Every structure is written in C-alpha cells, then in structure tokens.
Amino acid sequence: MRVLITGQSYHPAFNGQAVFTVNLAEGLAARGHEVMVVASSDCKRPYCQTRNGVQIRRLGAISLSRWHRDAALTPFPDRALGKILREFRPHIVHIQDHYPISRSAVRLARLQGIKTLGTNHFMPQNLKPYLGWLAQVGGDALDWLLWHWMLHLYNQLDFVTAPSRTAVAILQRVGLTTPAFPVSCGVDVEFFRPLPHLDPLAWRRHFQLAPDRTVFLYVGRVDGEKRLDILLHACQRLQDTPIQLAIAGRGAAQDELQRLAQKLGLGDRVRFLGFVPQEELPALLNSVDIFAMPSDAELLSIATLEAMACGRPVLAARGQALPELITEGVNGLLFRPGDPADAARQMARLVQMRDAWAQMGQANRTKAEFHHVGKTVEIYEQIYGSLVSDMPSPYVSARRPSRPIFPRKVQELLTQFRH
C-alpha cells in the first residue's frame, strides 16, 4: 500500500506529533508499505531525502521564529502537492494537523477520490501561549474559533483517530461529526526499557545531577503550555526536602523559566539539561527517580509513556488524558493542574514512598507494553486497508458516529488500546 502522511513537522523535530509521525511512517515502511511524508522544510528551502525506508519531501517554508524558534509554515503548497499526488499515487492520505499542507492534501485527495484519515494532536492550549494579547482577551470565543478552524478540515475526512479516549471525547464535544476512535501514539518498549546493569551515578555525573537527592525529571518541549513553572514553584515550597528537578528539552519558554528559577532562588535544585540526544534518553530516564509531567494539555504524552516503559514512577497533572495513564498510588501520583501547592504536596509524598518506587515502576512498565508502537502500526495498517477496500460499511451508523464497523481483527486491536 502507498501511504502519504502530511504534517507541519518531522524528524529532527522532537515534539509529540513529529515523534508519532516518524514511528508510524518508519513502522509502516518496515512492514513493506511504500510511505512518503510531506512536511514543511526545517531550513526554509525544499529538499528530498530517504530515511529508514521513508521518502521525505520537505516543502519550502517561511520561518515563524518570531513566535517559536522551531516553527515554519508552507503557505502555498498546492502546486507541489499536486505533483506529489500525481507521481506517488497514494492509496490513502493520512494528515497529522490542519495546517496548509494537510488542508491542501485533503482537498486534492478528495478531488481524486483518495481516502483520507486524520490524527488529531491539537488543542487550543498548544497555540495560545504564542498569541500574546489575543490569548488574554479572546477567552471562550478564541477557543471556539481555533476548534472551528481545525474541525472545518477534520469533518471532511473519512475517519479520525486521536491518541486517547479523552482526546476523542473532546473532539466529539466540540463538534466532530466524522467517525473517530482512540489509537495510542505508542512507545518503543524495546528501546525504552529498564536497564538493570546501568550505573545511575555515572549517568548522573554525565548530566551533572545530584547523586544524593531524589531527582524528578521532565523531558519534552520547554514551552509555555507544558506548565513547567508549576514545578519550579513547587520546588521552592520544598526547600527542606532533598530533591532536584531536571528539565530536558528546548523550547520558546526556556529563557523565561531560567529567569524564574533564578528569581525563586532555586540554585542547583533545578538543572536545565537542554536537548538530550535520543540515544541517551533511556539512560537518563533510568538514572533518575521520578518522571514529572505538569502539562494540563496532554492528549496522551509520549514522553510519559517513554518514562513508564523505563519503569519510572510518574508525577502528573490530573488533566486531560494523563489520568488514563496514571492510577493514583499504583504507578504514580496526580496533582491538581496549575496548583503548585498541590504539586509540592504530591512530590513530597512520592519522596516518602521510596519503598513503593520499584512496584510503581513495574506497574508502569506493564502498562507501557500495552502501548507498544508495533500495535499502533498494525492498527493503522488495518484501518488503511478497511478504508481503501470500500467495505459495504467501513464507517459508522448515522446514530453512533463513535463506533466504526471494522473487521474483527481491527476491532480486537482497537479494543486493546481502549483499555
């Protein structure tokens, strides 16, 4: 099968959408499918390359670094996409967002009778930190406008997926009418795994982390919607508790957060590690004590799944889809979103629960295995086949738009991810 995947970002970007797209594209290619990814260029000019069996077409883009240092946009992609569709002749087009490349891909695909599928990674919270005064005065009206912008495209698709039950429920609540189903983004549980023979103290020295404190680690984009300020304020409240917060990643809020850490007098209680290469992430995760995810805008959180796969207990905000991953007291603790006092209380509780860390870590490893990226790729492979084959009713009934009719094998795979 020939699969065309479109979106704003791809490798070497490390945001959740890019990581998912890479895992899906390379997983499909490894299973013998012909896969092409079309994304905005990361260096402004257009270029082509092949990586791990995936054909990559980068379209010329303009930089949006004024809003975010890693952002770019391809404003007029129709001509390039028209040529790609003619030459590649995809059986299905799978979009990852609602920006110009994906909009153009859907419109051109529909004109040619090509089936379209979309995975949603978007929430208004992802954009609002970069909208300045508009985000402050826009309120519910701005949320409605941003959702309407996204739904205008996704309601034209043949099928929609989202990373969690929460993500699908949100889409249906705001007005999605296209059949939709939750499919996990997945995690490579063979790459991210417990490393019992690793020397954690050596790796802590490598990352300049404290050898004698409980280390909480965040990995991901260092952007406003990730709410890392909550963890910094929580650390200030725990001056007498021997902890250290490590923040791995880069993003638009890094300078602001470093200034906040200095203002709060955190000193070496917080370490900004910057970008950590992918090959070092399993060692980093295995060398710390607890993973922390303070964001209240997570539709699943691949970074949290990676930490779970490495057997780390998790501290997370009780917001959006994170409670689907964390069961209070079993594999971690949850705190009220946006509440540094509650975050501090739960951090202190976790420090005192040292004897339970191993059991929590094992529970997380077991749960992560249900999100094996191989299952994710297999589910999408089956969904593509069902859509392309024009089954008598591959969609859903008019009354129950959230319950697609698929072959039994697909239903079994999807049911695994619902639980």
Side-chain angles (χ1 to χ4, degrees):
M1 186 181 298
R2 291 185 298 277
V3 182
L4 181 67
I5 302 175
T6 69
Q8 273 300 109
S9 61
Y10 195 70
H11 179 85
F14 277 99
N15 59 72
Q17 176 180 320
V19 171
F20 167 72
T21 307
V22 168
N23 288 341
L24 176 63
E26 294 184 358
L28 289 167
R31 293 173 72 92
H33 300 283
E34 194 172 349
V35 184
M36 179 180 289
V37 172
V38 181
S40 291
S41 175
D42 53 345
C43 62
K44 297 184 182 180
R45 60 176 178 79
Y47 66 92
C48 306
Q49 66 178 155
T50 299
R51 181 178 184 270
N52 295 333
V54 178
Q55 302 174 58
I56 303 168
R57 298 290 183 271
R58 294 284 197 166
L59 305 188
I62 57 175
S63 173
L64 299 179
S65 57
R66 175 181 176 184
W67 290 275
H68 192 289
R69 71 177 83 182
D70 298 323
L73 185 71
T74 301
F76 305 109
D78 280 23
R79 183 174 180 181
L81 275 169
K83 182 179 180 182
I84 287 170
L85 286 172
R86 287 193 302 272
E87 295 177 351
F88 186 61
R89 296 178 295 112
H91 295 105
I92 194 160
V93 170
H94 186 172
I95 67 171
Q96 303 300 316
D97 54 43
H98 54 289
Y99 303 123
I101 290 176
S102 293
R103 286 186 175 276
S104 179
V106 169
R107 184 175 60 80
L108 295 173
R110 285 169 60 85
L111 288 173
Q112 298 180 36
I114 300 170
K115 297 293 185 181
T116 56
L117 166 71
T119 297
N120 181 56
H121 308 271
F122 169 81
M123 293 186 69
Q125 290 94 318
N126 303 143
L127 285 183
K128 289 170 75 172
Y130 314 107
L131 298 180
W133 63 268
L134 186 59
Q136 298 175 13
V137 303
D140 292 341
L142 179 60
D143 284 353
W144 180 89
L145 182 64
L146 292 173
W147 276 124
H148 185 75
W149 178 32
M150 174 266 179
L151 291 169
H152 177 264
L153 179 63
Y154 275 62
N155 277 333
Q156 300 177 44
L157 303 176
D158 294 300
F159 193 66
V160 169
T161 60
S164 61
R165 297 189 302 275
T166 298
V168 170
I170 291 171
L171 290 176
Q172 293 171 340
R173 187 169 66 246
V174 297
L176 182 74
T177 57
T178 303
F181 207 90
V183 181
S184 172
C185 288
V187 59
D188 186 345
V189 296
E190 294 159 7
F191 182 75
F192 291 97
R193 69 187 192 281
L195 300 173
H197 302 298
L198 174 129
D199 182 349
L201 291 180
W203 280 98
R204 286 197 182 195
R205 287 194 297 271
H206 176 73
F207 289 108
Q208 300 179 28
L209 298 176
D212 55 350
R213 301 184 199 175
T214 299
V215 177
F216 289 78
L217 171 70
Y218 165 86
V219 176
R221 288 186 295 111
V222 184
D223 289 331
E225 74 269 26
K226 295 301 183 179
R227 298 311 312 270
L228 290 164
D229 58 305
I230 299 300
L231 293 182
L232 295 181
H233 282 285
C235 286
Q236 185 195 35
R237 294 168 179 264
L238 297 172
Q239 293 288 348
D240 297 328
T241 305
I243 64 170
Q244 185 177 52
L245 172 65
I247 297 174
R250 62 190 178 197
Q254 184 164 327
D255 293 342
E256 179 183 350
L257 289 168
Q258 288 177 329
R259 288 193 295 271
L260 176 60
Q262 185 175 17
K263 179 181 177 181
L264 296 175
L266 294 179
D268 66 354
R269 293 169 61 80
V270 61
R271 283 276 298 127
F272 289 88
L273 306 183
F275 173 75
V276 174
Q278 181 81 352
E279 60 270 17
E280 293 186 355
L281 279 179
L284 173 60
L285 287 163
N286 275 272
S287 68
V288 303
D289 300 302
I290 298 163
F291 183 79
M293 178 52 69
S295 170
D296 55 4
E298 297 298 310
L299 295 180
L300 186 66
S301 180
I302 293 176
T304 303
L305 279 175
E306 292 170 350
M308 292 168 64
C310 289
R312 299 299 93 184
V314 174
L315 171 76
R318 190 184 290 106
Q320 306 306 345
L322 289 173
E324 291 188 32
L325 297 178
I326 308 305
T327 302
E328 191 88 30
V330 175
N331 60 343
L333 294 178
L334 298 166
F335 65 88
R336 286 191 296 273
D339 186 341
D342 195 43
R345 281 191 292 271
Q346 301 298 59
M347 291 172 79
R349 279 186 64 197
L350 272 171
V351 171
Q352 296 168 1
M353 296 172 69
R354 178 180 294 271
D355 291 344
W357 290 354
Q359 187 175 354
M360 286 182 170
Q362 181 56 54
N364 270 328
R365 174 65 188 181
T366 300
K367 193 158 192 173
E369 288 172 350
F370 283 101
H371 292 264
H372 190 337
V373 70
K375 293 181 181 179
T376 297
V377 174
E378 186 177 354
I379 287 174
Y380 277 108
E381 184 181 49
Q382 296 291 335
I383 291 174
Y384 296 159
S386 297
L387 292 173
V388 170
S389 66
D390 260 338
M391 293 172 56
S393 183
Y395 311 115
V396 296
S397 69
R399 292 188 305 157
R400 298 291 299 276
S402 62
R403 296 292 299 276
I405 302 173
F406 282 128
R408 179 170 299 182
K409 184 175 182 181
V410 185
Q411 291 284 21
E412 291 173 352
L413 287 166
L414 291 172
T415 299
Q416 291 180 28
F417 275 14
R418 292 186 72 181
H419 302 288

